[in-house]
Amino acid sequence: MTPTTETTVGIGGAAESTDMVLNIGPQHPSTHGVLRLRLVLDGERIVRAEPVIGYMHRGAEKLFEARDYRQIIMLANRHDWLSAFSNELGVVLAVERMLGMEVPERAVWTRTLLAELNRVLNHLMFLGSYPLELGGITPVFYAFREREVLQNVMEEVSGGRMHYMFNRVGGLKEDLPAGWSARARAAVAAVRSRMDVFDDLVLGNEIFRGRTRGVGTLAPEAVHAYGVSGPIARGSGVDFDLRRDEPYLAYGELQDVLKVVTRGEGDCLARFEVLLEQTHNALGLADACLDRLAGLAPGPINQRLPKVLKAPEGHTYAWTENPLGINGYYLVSKGEKTPYRLKLRSASYNNIQVLTELLPGTLVADMVAILGSMFFVVGDIDK
């Protein structure tokens, strides 16, 4: 009989100090699209976090180089699908700056109006979806009701519900339909009259406040180090908004209405409060734009362009305060009808990087609350 050797392996308490690697995604319901989080856990606490991106990558920046200046607008409005009008706007502003082109006053004010309506549409999605991720089902129904009211007027003016394709180099596609301003004003008033639902139903909910207060605190130093912007940065007390600090469009004339909302706590609750108060302010800005448009004399909504539009050789940079933060557009031209290079700096790409610093030290149970409060769109990361 062949002798055998038995080995007893005792794991005992040693297993308690063994780190676990956990993949969240890329199809986890807590994410806004296809994002993967690679977490290293020590028990219930996150030790390291790595956002893994690229699952939706569409190569938009390379496609820009094979499309003319009219066609790239279609590509640009799709990366942040909740902010399509604002995405288009940054591209045309960069091209107009390269051309040295002045846009008619009527187009400037209409662009500002539609950008603020698009901001409200973006914020309403997160005001409804964030409580949903924490177990509160009802707010998302109210959010979609208000979105439908505003989407109806956006669809009437542009023909699109999400991808408006209404901006053009030199202005807008066409003038506003007859009677549209009155319908837009009524829509803004209707949404404003029901915004207290989010103040009472969400912020007044003690469970929501318990899940978000003091959770996922983001320091201002991390905001600056990672280039975080928008409501997330302002929730950490970073008082910066391009609409006030480097005004574009008609924002220079709206300083008495524009309010830059900040909070000092830097936690999930602060970020939600900034988003909510910013939505109220965007509705006020929309009303101010409607008032100004009503006082403008009839005039052109765009500039006449040559059949083949070519930007002069050179480079320029335009940036805008998109709903989710700062979007930048670095345009390089060789004098052709297509960009030689168009580099896109998107808000979500920078904002999501800070998770590597924000998640370590927190509990797995708080991971969804923190992730949802970062207010990102994955297409804006994987552009």
Side-chain angles (χ1 to χ4, degrees), residues 303-322:
Q303 294 275 23
R304 293 184 65 86
L305 299 177
K307 186 174 182 181
V308 178
L309 179 64
K310 294 182 179 181
E313 187 170 349
H315 61 91
T316 191
Y317 184 76
W319 55 347
T320 59
E321 187 69 41
N322 263 40

Side-chain angles (χ1 to χ4, degrees), residues 85 174 186 229 266 287 317:
F85 185 87
E174 56 198 10
S229 60
D287 265 340
Y317 184 76

Side-chain angles (χ1 to χ4, degrees), residues 110-122:
T110 306
R111 280 178 172 179
T112 311
L113 166 63
L114 297 177
E116 290 305 311
L117 292 178
N118 194 199
R119 192 180 309 276
V120 176
L121 283 169
N122 176 289

Side-chain angles (χ1 to χ4, degrees), residues 29-297:
S30 72
T31 64
H32 296 258
V34 189
L35 174 74
R36 173 184 164 208
L37 281 178
R38 187 177 183 274
L39 305 179
V40 178
L41 309 178
D42 182 5
E44 286 291 312
R45 200 162 295 275
I46 299 172
V47 178
R48 289 194 302 276
E50 178 192 0
V52 182
I53 65 173
Y55 292 96
M56 290 185 63
H57 185 59
R58 292 164 290 179
E61 290 180 348
K62 293 303 292 181
L63 291 173
F64 288 155
E65 298 170 16
R67 305 290 190 277
D68 67 32
Y69 288 108
R70 293 177 175 90
Q71 294 168 327
I72 60 175
I73 299 172
M74 181 275 295
L75 291 170
N77 74 13
R78 280 163 165 74
H79 55 88
D80 175 1
W81 45 76
L82 296 178
S83 311
F85 185 87
S86 301
N87 299 338
E88 300 172 10
L89 189 58
V91 171
V92 296
L93 288 176
V95 179
E96 287 163 3
R97 180 173 295 180
M98 183 76 84
L99 292 166
M101 180 181 289
E102 289 289 331
V103 176
E105 185 180 15
R106 188 170 185 80
V108 171
W109 282 97
T110 306
R111 280 178 172 179
T112 311
L113 166 63
L114 297 177
E116 290 305 311
L117 292 178
N118 194 199
R119 192 180 309 276
V120 176
L121 283 169
N122 176 289
H123 290 356
L124 281 170
M125 176 64 79
F126 290 105
L127 292 174
S129 68
Y130 186 43
L132 179 65
E133 289 161 358
L134 299 180
I137 298 174
T138 311
V140 75
F141 298 130
Y142 289 100
F144 269 85
R145 179 185 66 180
E146 310 313 331
R147 277 176 55 85
E148 282 298 313
V149 173
L150 293 178
Q151 275 189 307
N152 286 341
V153 295
M154 293 291 281
E155 183 178 7
E156 181 186 355
V157 74
S158 67
R161 284 181 60 81
M162 289 188 69
H163 304 300
Y164 305 109
M165 274 300 294
F166 198 56
N167 276 288
R168 295 292 186 273
V169 176
L172 295 167
K173 176 187 173 186
E174 56 198 10
D175 209 342
L176 302 174
W180 182 87
S181 294
R183 291 188 288 276
R185 194 183 294 276
V188 169
V191 172
R192 181 189 289 109
S193 69
R194 296 192 289 257
M195 283 299 294
D196 60 343
V197 166
F198 299 98
D199 294 301
D200 301 334
L201 188 64
V202 182
L203 285 181
N205 186 294
E206 61 183 43
I207 298 175
F208 178 84
R209 299 183 75 87
R211 288 290 308 276
T212 55
R213 186 191 286 115
V215 175
T217 303
L218 180 61
E221 294 77 16
V223 169
H224 293 299
Y226 285 84
V228 176
S229 60
I232 301 170
R234 292 191 283 273
S236 295
V238 177
D239 188 7
F240 182 73
D241 191 312
L242 284 174
R243 297 174 297 170
R244 178 197 65 193
D245 301 322
E246 286 197 24
Y248 59 98
L249 294 182
Y251 289 114
E253 300 181 47
L254 292 169
Q255 298 301 305
D256 56 334
V257 183
L258 175 64
K259 180 183 177 183
V260 179
V261 185
T262 60
R263 291 289 187 277
E265 295 82 0
D267 56 11
C268 295
L269 181 59
R271 292 189 279 273
F272 186 86
E273 287 177 342
V274 168
L275 200 75
L276 179 55
E277 197 169 334
Q278 196 168 278
T279 308
H280 284 284
N281 186 239
L283 291 169
L285 288 167
D287 265 340
C289 291
L290 285 166
D291 290 340
R292 182 58 184 267
L293 280 170
L296 288 180

